[in-house]
Amino acid sequence: MKTMKFYLLAGIFAATLITCNNSNAKNNESNNSKNTETMKFEKVALPYATDALEPVISKTTIELHYGKHHQAYVDNLNKLVVGTEFEDADLETIVKNSDGAIFNNAGQHLNHNLYFTSFKADGGGEPQGGLAEAINSQFGSFDKFKEEFNAAGTSVFGSGWVWLAKDDSGKLSIEKESNAGNPVTKGLTPILGFDVWEHSYYLDYQNRRADHLKEIWKIIDWETVSNRY
């Protein structure tokens, strides 16, 4: 009789243990799934090889700028949004509504997505279509626009960005932004942005930011940029 009771209790214990293990496995699976869903931000894929923009932007700079700096912003953002109101928000919403470390990393993620997709190996020339018409209308000519844009980028104090942006009516403006700033915070749509943080040009141009800004027009992918207008 005692033997039967022993086996009965052992069976109950084993069944309970299996149930607990299954429950823990499901909880772990749920937590892992949640973590996977949260880690949703990724760098935009480069539409060119890392050496394709030379000599305007070197392979070494692309590997550092895109591979290290941009990746760090993405990794930081994925960690920072966990457990916040921005955990399930899209990138632009986060940039418009956040501040502090979340804004800094989200802003730089958005900025670099736009920046790195604005170039191509055989770029340069001038925009076409509606963007070209708007530039000529508002700035007098494409050359005058470039001159004003370069001057704005050169005069950004410290680290930041210079942007060509549009409002809801299609009116263009040149916007200077410090650090992670993006025109979306002003209700504008960014069309083209030049990164004037030193890590974007220092290996190739040292402290000659103005020279870098003059050269970068040679690699602009105007088809992609014009589609943002």
Side-chain angles (χ1 to χ4, degrees):
M1 189 68 176
K2 290 182 179 180
T3 302
M4 291 181 62
K5 287 183 178 181
F6 171 79
Y7 284 116
L8 179 61
L9 290 173
I12 293 173
F13 175 77
T16 302
L17 183 61
I18 292 172
T19 301
C20 290
N21 287 338
N22 288 340
S23 178
N24 289 334
K26 289 180 180 179
N27 287 335
N28 289 334
E29 183 179 345
S30 176
N31 290 333
N32 290 337
S33 176
K34 184 177 181 180
N35 290 336
T36 300
E37 291 173 2
T38 300
M39 297 289 284
K40 62 183 177 181
F41 295 109
E42 297 179 355
K43 292 184 302 182
V44 65
L46 289 180
Y48 43 78
T50 54
D51 62 350
L53 306 181
E54 292 184 334
V56 177
I57 302 178
S58 69
K59 177 181 179 179
T60 302
T61 291
I62 291 291
E63 289 176 342
L64 176 68
H65 193 182
Y66 174 80
K68 302 296 185 180
H69 289 279
H70 191 185
Q71 187 65 58
Y73 298 131
V74 174
D75 292 344
N76 288 338
L77 180 61
N78 280 320
K79 294 175 184 176
L80 289 167
V81 297
V82 176
T84 73
E85 62 183 295
F86 303 110
E87 188 166 5
D88 297 315
D90 63 86
L91 185 57
E92 191 167 312
T93 297
I94 296 175
V95 175
K96 288 179 178 178
N97 297 288
S98 64
D99 56 19
I102 291 180
F103 170 79
N104 288 336
N105 287 279
Q108 286 292 74
H109 182 17
L110 177 60
N111 293 351
H112 284 90
N113 281 352
L114 293 166
Y115 174 79
F116 283 115
T117 54
S118 295
F119 308 130
K120 65 179 181 179
D122 56 346
E126 299 185 12
Q128 303 295 321
L131 179 59
E133 294 174 4
I135 287 175
N136 290 330
S137 175
Q138 292 184 227
F139 298 97
S141 69
F142 180 66
D143 286 338
K144 289 182 179 179
F145 157 67
K146 284 202 303 182
E147 183 179 346
E148 187 172 336
F149 195 87
N150 286 347
T154 303
S155 66
V156 172
F157 183 77
S159 301
W161 295 76
V162 57
W163 294 95
L164 175 65
K166 70 167 184 174
D167 64 14
D168 290 339
S169 69
K171 182 179 179 180
L172 296 174
S173 61
I174 295 174
E175 305 291 330
K176 296 195 298 183
E177 298 281 355
S178 62
N179 298 321
N182 187 290
V184 298
T185 61
K186 303 173 181 176
L188 304 173
T189 299
I191 304 297
L192 175 66
F194 285 3
D195 189 345
V196 294
W197 284 64
E198 285 191 340
H199 63 238
S200 71
Y201 63 86
Y202 205 86
L203 292 179
D204 302 324
Y205 298 86
Q206 289 78 51
N207 64 330
R208 295 176 286 111
R209 181 193 290 182
D211 291 345
H212 170 63
L213 292 176
K214 289 178 182 177
E215 290 296 306
I216 207 169
W217 297 100
K218 297 177 181 178
I219 55 173
I220 300 298
D221 179 355
W222 283 113
E223 181 179 0
T224 295
V225 173
S226 296
N227 286 338
R228 299 172 183 160
Y229 180 68

